[in-house]
Amino acid sequence: VKLYYSPAACSLSDHIALIEADMAYDLVKVDLRAKKTEDGADFLAINPKGYVPALEQDDGTVLTENLAILSWIADKSGTLMPVDGLGRYRVIEATAYVSGELHKNFKPFFNPAASEIERDEAKAVLTKRFALVDDMLGRHPFMAGETMSIADCYLFVTMRWAVGKVGLELPPRVAAHFARLGERPAVQQALREEGLA
Ligand SMILES: N[C@@H](CCC(=O)N[C@@H](CS)C(=O)NCC(=O)O)C(=O)O
């Protein structure tokens, strides 16, 4: 598969998941402003939504939306999400929380036109959202249960933004989880390959 990505963007979660799942992949960097890939192709022709991640399969099919791409990686590899039972829906629940409740609230920190008030409001919401993640991590070692899942891959990216972009002080269990995930070889490889190590 080909992963269309931008360094440090939410596509980093798919990159980590592909490595954790031991799947073969090629990376294609996208200039999100110019909507061009690193090899000069029109990114809008590949993904009309104009954002990353996008995952192109070997037959040319393009899948978009992080929750769908992460779920595809999990299902194809048989890792990072239980195949059935409540555990599967716990992983989807946690990944939807990262996408809809964490990721969304970073928007003002990526938008140079956002006001200080918007940033302060978003920071207050993120503080509450991460406090709930701290509760989850008090019940089990990973975000959605006993083992690493796609939710943790995505959570890692948002924790990285929280520390590096927002200057948020992560609650203790979240901070410890961030440090532990950062030590995983797959995470270190993905960071290296995106020029972030
Ligand atoms: N709904 C999308 C949102 C993806 C998204 O926000 N991508 C950001 C990077 S983290 C992006 O490419 N922004 C550039 C743009 O929208 O032009 C998903 O869940 O995959």
Short mmCIF file of all heavy atoms in Angstrom, two decimals, residues 163-187:
data_model
loop_
_atom_site.label_atom_id
_atom_site.label_comp_id
_atom_site.label_asym_id
_atom_site.label_seq_id
_atom_site.Cartn_x
_atom_site.Cartn_y
_atom_site.Cartn_z
N VAL A 163 1.87 18.10 23.78
CA VAL A 163 3.12 18.52 24.41
C VAL A 163 3.84 19.57 23.55
O VAL A 163 4.23 20.63 24.04
CB VAL A 163 4.03 17.28 24.64
CG1 VAL A 163 5.42 17.69 25.12
CG2 VAL A 163 3.37 16.33 25.64
N GLY A 164 3.98 19.28 22.26
CA GLY A 164 4.82 20.11 21.39
C GLY A 164 4.14 21.36 20.85
O GLY A 164 4.80 22.38 20.62
N LYS A 165 2.84 21.30 20.64
CA LYS A 165 2.15 22.41 19.96
C LYS A 165 1.39 23.28 20.95
O LYS A 165 1.28 24.49 20.79
CB LYS A 165 1.08 21.82 19.03
CG LYS A 165 1.29 21.67 17.56
CD LYS A 165 1.63 22.72 16.72
CE LYS A 165 1.15 23.12 15.43
NZ LYS A 165 2.00 24.12 14.83
N VAL A 166 0.80 22.61 21.96
CA VAL A 166 -0.10 23.33 22.87
C VAL A 166 0.59 23.66 24.19
O VAL A 166 0.21 24.60 24.88
CB VAL A 166 -1.38 22.47 23.14
CG1 VAL A 166 -2.35 23.17 24.04
CG2 VAL A 166 -2.05 22.09 21.81
N GLY A 167 1.64 22.90 24.52
CA GLY A 167 2.31 23.10 25.81
C GLY A 167 1.42 22.65 26.96
O GLY A 167 1.47 23.21 28.05
N LEU A 168 0.61 21.65 26.70
CA LEU A 168 -0.32 21.13 27.71
C LEU A 168 0.44 20.20 28.65
O LEU A 168 1.25 19.39 28.19
CB LEU A 168 -1.41 20.34 26.98
CG LEU A 168 -2.73 20.15 27.65
CD1 LEU A 168 -3.57 21.43 27.51
CD2 LEU A 168 -3.50 19.02 26.95
N GLU A 169 0.16 20.31 29.93
CA GLU A 169 0.76 19.35 30.86
C GLU A 169 -0.14 18.12 30.90
O GLU A 169 -1.29 18.21 31.35
CB GLU A 169 0.89 19.97 32.24
CG GLU A 169 1.92 19.23 33.06
CD GLU A 169 2.03 19.78 34.48
OE1 GLU A 169 1.97 21.02 34.63
OE2 GLU A 169 2.16 18.96 35.39
N LEU A 170 0.37 17.00 30.41
CA LEU A 170 -0.45 15.79 30.35
C LEU A 170 -0.65 15.22 31.75
O LEU A 170 0.29 15.24 32.56
CB LEU A 170 0.21 14.73 29.46
CG LEU A 170 0.36 15.07 27.97
CD1 LEU A 170 1.17 13.98 27.25
CD2 LEU A 170 -1.01 15.22 27.31
N PRO A 171 -1.85 14.70 32.07
CA PRO A 171 -2.03 14.05 33.35
C PRO A 171 -1.08 12.85 33.48
O PRO A 171 -0.62 12.32 32.46
CB PRO A 171 -3.50 13.60 33.34
CG PRO A 171 -4.07 14.00 32.05
CD PRO A 171 -3.05 14.68 31.22
N PRO A 172 -0.76 12.43 34.72
CA PRO A 172 0.35 11.49 34.95
C PRO A 172 0.30 10.20 34.14
O PRO A 172 1.31 9.81 33.55
CB PRO A 172 0.27 11.18 36.45
CG PRO A 172 -0.68 12.16 37.02
CD PRO A 172 -1.40 12.88 35.95
N ARG A 173 -0.87 9.54 34.11
CA ARG A 173 -0.91 8.25 33.39
C ARG A 173 -0.79 8.47 31.88
O ARG A 173 -0.23 7.65 31.16
CB ARG A 173 -2.19 7.49 33.72
CG ARG A 173 -2.11 6.79 35.08
CD ARG A 173 -3.37 6.01 35.37
NE ARG A 173 -4.47 6.90 35.67
CZ ARG A 173 -5.15 6.92 36.83
NH1 ARG A 173 -4.85 6.07 37.79
NH2 ARG A 173 -6.13 7.78 37.02
N VAL A 174 -1.31 9.59 31.41
CA VAL A 174 -1.21 9.90 29.97
C VAL A 174 0.25 10.19 29.63
O VAL A 174 0.78 9.70 28.62
CB VAL A 174 -2.12 11.10 29.60
CG1 VAL A 174 -1.99 11.44 28.12
CG2 VAL A 174 -3.57 10.80 29.96
N ALA A 175 0.91 10.97 30.49
CA ALA A 175 2.33 11.29 30.25
C ALA A 175 3.17 10.01 30.24
O ALA A 175 4.06 9.83 29.39
CB ALA A 175 2.83 12.25 31.32
N ALA A 176 2.86 9.10 31.17
CA ALA A 176 3.63 7.84 31.24
C ALA A 176 3.36 6.99 29.99
O ALA A 176 4.28 6.36 29.45
CB ALA A 176 3.25 7.07 32.50
N HIS A 177 2.11 7.00 29.52
CA HIS A 177 1.76 6.23 28.33
C HIS A 177 2.47 6.81 27.10
O HIS A 177 2.98 6.06 26.26
CB HIS A 177 0.23 6.30 28.14
CG HIS A 177 -0.32 5.34 27.13
ND1 HIS A 177 -0.04 4.00 27.15
CD2 HIS A 177 -1.14 5.54 26.06
CE1 HIS A 177 -0.67 3.41 26.14
NE2 HIS A 177 -1.33 4.32 25.46
N PHE A 178 2.53 8.12 27.03
CA PHE A 178 3.22 8.80 25.93
C PHE A 178 4.70 8.38 25.91
O PHE A 178 5.24 8.02 24.85
CB PHE A 178 3.08 10.32 26.11
CG PHE A 178 3.73 11.14 25.04
CD1 PHE A 178 3.55 10.85 23.69
CD2 PHE A 178 4.54 12.23 25.37
CE1 PHE A 178 4.15 11.63 22.70
CE2 PHE A 178 5.14 13.01 24.40
CZ PHE A 178 4.95 12.70 23.07
N ALA A 179 5.31 8.37 27.09
CA ALA A 179 6.73 8.00 27.17
C ALA A 179 6.92 6.53 26.77
O ALA A 179 7.84 6.21 26.01
CB ALA A 179 7.24 8.25 28.59
N ARG A 180 6.02 5.67 27.26
CA ARG A 180 6.15 4.23 26.97
C ARG A 180 5.97 3.96 25.48
O ARG A 180 6.73 3.23 24.86
CB ARG A 180 5.09 3.45 27.74
CG ARG A 180 5.64 2.62 28.88
CD ARG A 180 4.62 1.68 29.50
NE ARG A 180 3.25 2.13 29.46
CZ ARG A 180 2.62 2.76 30.46
NH1 ARG A 180 3.26 3.05 31.57
NH2 ARG A 180 1.35 3.12 30.34
N LEU A 181 4.96 4.59 24.89
CA LEU A 181 4.74 4.38 23.44
C LEU A 181 5.94 4.90 22.65
O LEU A 181 6.34 4.31 21.64
CB LEU A 181 3.46 5.07 22.97
CG LEU A 181 2.12 4.50 23.46
CD1 LEU A 181 0.96 5.28 22.85
CD2 LEU A 181 1.96 3.02 23.10
N GLY A 182 6.51 6.00 23.11
CA GLY A 182 7.65 6.61 22.42
C GLY A 182 8.87 5.70 22.39
O GLY A 182 9.78 5.91 21.59
N GLU A 183 8.89 4.72 23.29
CA GLU A 183 10.03 3.79 23.33
C GLU A 183 9.84 2.61 22.39
O GLU A 183 10.76 1.83 22.17
CB GLU A 183 10.21 3.25 24.75
CG GLU A 183 10.81 4.28 25.69
CD GLU A 183 10.69 3.89 27.15
OE1 GLU A 183 10.29 2.74 27.45
OE2 GLU A 183 10.99 4.75 27.99
N ARG A 184 8.63 2.45 21.84
CA ARG A 184 8.39 1.28 20.98
C ARG A 184 9.17 1.44 19.67
O ARG A 184 9.16 2.52 19.06
CB ARG A 184 6.89 1.14 20.67
CG ARG A 184 6.08 0.75 21.90
CD ARG A 184 4.61 0.72 21.57
NE ARG A 184 4.21 -0.49 20.86
CZ ARG A 184 3.79 -1.61 21.44
NH1 ARG A 184 3.73 -1.68 22.76
NH2 ARG A 184 3.43 -2.64 20.72
N PRO A 185 9.80 0.36 19.20
CA PRO A 185 10.58 0.45 17.96
C PRO A 185 9.75 0.96 16.78
O PRO A 185 10.25 1.73 15.96
CB PRO A 185 11.06 -0.98 17.73
CG PRO A 185 11.04 -1.62 19.09
CD PRO A 185 9.95 -0.96 19.86
N ALA A 186 8.48 0.57 16.70
CA ALA A 186 7.64 1.00 15.57
C ALA A 186 7.45 2.51 15.59
O ALA A 186 7.47 3.18 14.54
CB ALA A 186 6.27 0.30 15.63
N VAL A 187 7.25 3.06 16.77
CA VAL A 187 7.03 4.51 16.89
C VAL A 187 8.32 5.23 16.52
O VAL A 187 8.31 6.22 15.76
CB VAL A 187 6.57 4.87 18.33
CG1 VAL A 187 6.53 6.36 18.54
CG2 VAL A 187 5.20 4.24 18.61
#
